[in-house]
Amino acid sequence: MLYRLSQLILILGMLLLILNIYGLTQSLRPEGLDEDVLRFKQNDLLLSKEEFSKKVKMLPEESQSEYAQRLTKVIADGIAHVHWGKYDPDRFHQRVPIWENYILYLMGGFSGIPEFERYHFTIAEKAIERGVGLCGDASMLMSELLNKEDISHKIVTIPGHVAIVASIDGKDFWLDPDFGVVIESTLEELKYEPRQITEAYNEQGFINNGETVVRTGFEKHSYQTWNGVKEFVKKKYYFERFSYFLIWLIPAFLILVSIFLGKKYGRR
């Protein structure tokens, strides 16, 4: 009986291991990201996965201010803005594929938690590879990249939107990587001079779109700041990283258990 159990455990461990190895050969970047599914049509997803991965890196000659401002536009051009709740979650890998991370996949399929059904990555490399997301995805990605360069910043949430405020060389910047908008201003100034919000977003071609949500939030003084992704989504931040460790630990553990049981209760 225990020998047969050891065989089943070995098969399960090997299947999970093979699934992980297969996942290493696959890309999170979904197919079918063309104009008819993108919110900003021909102005959306202007960078390939390879271009996006390259351009998010800080250049040797760049100052922190230059990098932060350029990165804002790069992320806006590199993230596909699909209508988040419109399509089947598997179509654009909003639900993490089973071959990518079977733990996150199972959470997405059976936990009933919306955050896992349509997942927002906190690991920068995964967010870049998939290249699909909302303002929260863009801002969490930017926050992680700014952290790597020791650039002081906070994540800012207002009703219906997420962005970044950075403090660099004595200057404050509103950085919106979802829309690619940069405003040299403090949060206090944005509260009392909301006109500059409309002007900045309109210059980027967003009229009665992004600027409406942002301006309304500041006019109502309804915003909150967070010290990076760890504070913004603390539990998920650590769970995501732990899950990528577990997907390899679990099959290794199962294989070792099967070997132990096989040796102790081998066929007699």
Side-chain angles (χ1 to χ4, degrees), residues 29-226:
R29 180 61 61 99
E31 297 180 353
L33 293 171
D34 40 41
E35 282 188 29
D36 61 329
V37 302
L38 298 175
R39 284 167 49 203
F40 305 141
K41 303 303 179 183
Q42 71 273 13
N43 296 319
D44 211 325
L45 192 60
L46 302 179
L47 300 175
S48 67
K49 184 179 72 173
E50 293 71 26
E51 290 171 327
F52 192 22
S53 299
K54 182 179 180 180
K55 288 179 178 292
V56 295
K57 298 176 183 177
M58 187 172 180
L59 303 175
E61 67 275 12
E62 275 187 313
S63 67
Q64 288 188 332
S65 177
E66 290 170 336
Y67 172 63
Q69 294 183 64
R70 181 178 65 83
L71 183 63
T72 304
K73 187 68 168 65
V74 167
I75 293 176
D77 290 344
I79 292 287
H81 301 80
V82 301
H83 295 277
W84 198 250
K86 183 176 181 179
Y87 303 102
D88 184 278
D90 294 317
R91 179 173 177 180
F92 298 117
H93 296 167
Q94 291 168 286
R95 176 160 48 208
V96 178
I98 190 170
W99 44 259
E100 169 63 25
N101 185 315
Y102 55 84
I103 293 175
L104 294 180
Y105 171 80
L106 291 173
M107 290 292 291
F110 302 101
S111 71
I113 302 174
E115 274 292 305
F116 289 97
E117 292 172 355
R118 297 180 188 269
Y119 196 74
H120 304 277
F121 279 106
T122 67
I123 297 174
E125 292 74 17
K126 298 299 180 182
I128 292 169
E129 183 183 356
R130 184 174 64 173
V132 172
L134 299 175
C135 55
D137 300 86
S139 295
M140 288 193 293
L141 170 58
M142 186 166 190
S143 178
E144 288 293 281
L145 294 172
L146 293 178
N147 276 338
K148 290 183 179 180
E149 304 301 334
D150 296 320
I151 297 176
S152 178
H153 71 283
K154 293 181 183 294
I155 294 175
V156 183
T157 56
I158 58 178
H161 199 52
V162 185
I164 298 286
V165 61
S167 299
I168 308 170
D169 298 329
K171 298 179 180 179
D172 285 354
F173 296 88
W174 171 260
L175 306 172
D176 190 337
D178 191 38
F179 291 95
V181 172
V182 176
I183 305 174
E184 186 179 330
S185 176
T186 66
L187 293 180
E188 286 296 310
E189 290 170 342
L190 290 176
K191 282 197 306 185
Y192 297 108
E193 298 178 29
R195 185 179 63 180
Q196 62 182 315
I197 295 173
T198 301
E199 292 174 351
Y201 281 79
N202 288 173
E203 285 178 7
Q204 292 295 323
F206 301 108
I207 300 173
N208 296 323
N209 194 329
E211 89 286 356
T212 305
V213 174
V214 177
R215 181 168 181 162
T216 300
F218 277 104
E219 286 178 336
K220 293 181 177 179
H221 297 190
S222 179
Y223 67 83
Q224 187 172 356
T225 61
W226 310 81

Side-chain angles (χ1 to χ4, degrees), residues 227-245:
N227 292 316
V229 183
K230 288 182 182 179
E231 182 176 282
F232 183 46
V233 287
K234 184 174 183 179
K235 292 181 179 179
K236 193 176 79 171
Y237 180 92
Y238 289 105
F239 181 80
E240 181 178 309
R241 284 154 178 76
F242 188 51
S243 72
Y244 273 96
F245 170 72

